[in-house]
Amino acid sequence: MAAPILVEYDSPVLRITFNRPERLNALTTGMLTLAADAVEAAGSDTGVRLVVLRGAGRAFCAGVDLAGDADGTLPGTDTIDAANRLTLGLREIPQPVLAAVGGPAVGVGCSVALAADVTVARASAYFLLAFAQVGLMPDGGATALVPAAIGRARATRMAMLAERVAAPVAEEWGLITHCVPDAAFDDEVERLTQQFAQGPTAAYARAKHAVNASSLAQLRSALDIEREGQTQLFATADFAEGVAAFREKRRPEFSGK
């Protein structure tokens, strides 16, 4: 059975791949923990000059797996904690992080993709904060990352209406840094990888620190608020209905409770 997270060190690049293509790389708590472990370790490894995130197959990440972990356990506060560790790690390690989004980036998968310093996407990819579709609120730092990039109005639209944002629109809005034709995607990812790997690593680190300070100073506070809110929402009838509808492939009937 293939490992759900692939961590490959190709000096000086650390590549982390979500590797459940049969589930569109839907994340379990264990996968989030493994990815966070790898990112945090990279932060103190002077041999790593770039971290690259991508998903195997046709999706970047479909979000948290609503089928649950191996024992069927639904997402809970431990899932939020693992996702928060990953987002903080991506933002706080000194090395640049490149997210290569080759397909849909949904839910916390969208949050992770947007936590990168540079996010390059295939033109056919899309970004979706799907949380409201199952009675939840955005997490993984999305409530800070998204408005910092595209403003309150568009962030609220993504959070509450759960609309897909196609990669060309995401680039136009400033949600991502690069949208490239599908056929050029791999070449552009490799070009950027080589540019970062051969570039002024210390200068990148200081630039990242300054950008964090000016645009994401409230990230940790946002993560705390998300955790509190999501924990309460996990106990609602709407979340139970959202999960049931997702599994039964039907529209949810929310009661507001």
Side-chain angles (χ1 to χ4, degrees):
M1 190 172 176
I5 294 284
L6 301 178
V7 180
E8 303 165 296
Y9 179 55
D10 179 16
S11 179
V13 180
L14 183 73
R15 304 176 193 272
I16 301 173
T17 304
F18 302 133
N19 190 41
R20 296 179 76 204
E22 74 286 355
R23 296 285 298 165
L24 300 181
N25 303 315
L27 297 167
T28 64
T29 304
M31 290 171 67
L32 286 163
T33 299
L34 289 171
D37 288 345
V39 169
E40 289 172 357
S44 58
D45 186 343
T46 57
V48 175
R49 298 177 68 183
L50 172 69
V51 174
V52 178
L53 295 175
R54 64 189 312 156
R58 61 190 181 91
F60 177 77
C61 175
V64 168
D65 194 343
L66 291 179
D69 282 349
D71 62 358
T73 302
L74 284 174
T77 53
D78 57 341
T79 313
I80 301 295
D81 292 340
N84 288 355
R85 275 187 60 210
L86 178 55
T87 293
L88 280 175
L90 295 172
R91 290 311 317 150
E92 293 184 352
I93 62 171
Q95 300 93 333
V97 177
L98 169 65
V101 180
V106 178
V108 76
C110 180
S111 304
V112 169
L114 301 180
D117 299 293
V118 170
T119 304
V120 55
R122 277 195 172 99
S124 61
Y126 64 83
F127 298 82
L128 171 61
L129 294 179
F131 300 91
Q133 294 176 346
V134 292
L136 295 177
M137 65 177 287
D139 59 26
T143 61
L145 296 165
V146 177
I150 63 176
R152 181 185 61 83
R154 285 172 171 163
T156 301
R157 178 177 173 178
M158 287 186 69
M160 293 188 177
L161 300 182
E163 297 173 339
R164 294 184 181 186
V165 179
V169 176
E171 182 186 47
E172 179 184 345
W173 283 3
L175 188 65
I176 63 173
T177 56
H178 298 67
C179 172
V180 297
D182 286 19
F185 176 73
D186 290 333
D187 287 344
E188 180 66 0
V189 170
E190 183 58 26
R191 183 189 72 79
L192 289 167
T193 297
Q194 294 306 314
Q195 181 173 343
F196 278 120
Q198 298 168 12
T201 305
Y204 292 150
R206 298 314 301 175
K208 179 172 183 173
H209 178 73
V211 168
N212 282 343
S214 64
S215 65
L216 290 172
Q218 299 302 312
L219 177 58
R220 283 182 174 267
S221 176
L223 291 169
D224 289 341
I225 293 170
E226 290 174 357
R227 186 186 192 278
E228 179 182 5
Q230 205 76 300
T231 299
Q232 294 175 359
L233 291 170
F234 284 145
T236 63
D238 278 349
F239 175 57
E241 166 62 10
V243 171
F246 175 83
R247 292 176 173 178
E248 296 165 13
K249 299 181 179 179
R250 61 174 173 81
R251 290 180 63 87
E253 298 181 7
F254 293 127
S255 64
K257 300 178 181 178

